[in-house]
Amino acid sequence: MSGKHSERANGDNQSAGRIVIETPTKQDGAALWRIARDSQKLDLNSSYAYLLWCVDFADTSVVARVDGEIVGFVIGYRRPTDPESVLVWQVAVDSSQRGRGLAGTLLDDLFGKLVDSGVRYLDTTITPDNEASIRLFSSFAKRWNATLERSRLFDVDDFPDEHEPEDLFRVGPLSSARRPQ
């Protein structure tokens, strides 16, 4: 998977330009880190981690650009114990683009490509109180006519700091025949 994936019109007159979804490059790492930092909701990883994701996990990640600027991303990786599954590590959308369905569009675009390479499941972890993420992945499952299963992955006691528990959400099986239009 490389290069541009898709384009769509941006429905907001205040944000001119088309949204272009494509594979991230090393040069995108700093922008991903800034969007995650500015969200004030995501667990912020080191800037080094975002650079690595853009290089080592580019095939399982996408970025959205408007007028050349990154306004959103999905980063994920193939799970070593389950090569038919991609774990979505983070989804982030710049505040200028929130509320327009961009996160769902990014997920649909990414998994539209990944199912063609044998991916059958989307996995992600979500804290039990993160209603926005629960809605995002529930909507994804509905659009893809797939099952969503939820189970506890990490308890509070598993973390060395004050972190909430993390539930594993598994969506699938995914297939080209079930791809949203």
Side-chain angles (χ1 to χ4, degrees), residues 8 60 62 65 70 117 124 143 152-153 159 171 176:
R8 74 176 177 96
T60 52
V62 289
R65 296 180 198 279
I70 294 179
S117 66
T124 194
R143 283 192 310 278
R152 180 61 43 97
L153 184 62
F159 293 97
V171 178
S176 296

Side-chain angles (χ1 to χ4, degrees), residues 97-167:
Q97 300 296 318
R98 288 193 194 128
R100 297 183 177 94
L102 181 56
T105 298
L106 286 165
L107 286 170
D108 288 343
D109 187 88
L110 176 61
F111 281 86
K113 308 291 187 257
L114 292 173
V115 296
D116 293 338
S117 66
V119 171
R120 297 292 169 254
Y121 296 92
L122 177 160
D123 291 343
T124 194
T125 63
I126 304 173
T127 57
D129 66 343
N130 187 336
E131 305 230 353
S133 289
I134 293 169
R135 279 192 309 273
L136 173 65
F137 288 97
S138 296
S139 294
F140 177 86
K142 189 173 191 176
R143 283 192 310 278
W144 282 77
N145 192 27
T147 301
L148 186 147
E149 297 174 357
R150 179 178 182 173
S151 61
R152 180 61 43 97
L153 184 62
F154 299 118
D155 284 311
V156 172
D157 295 339
D158 293 325
F159 293 97
D161 56 2
E162 294 182 22
H163 196 290
E164 296 177 74
E166 293 276 350
D167 290 345

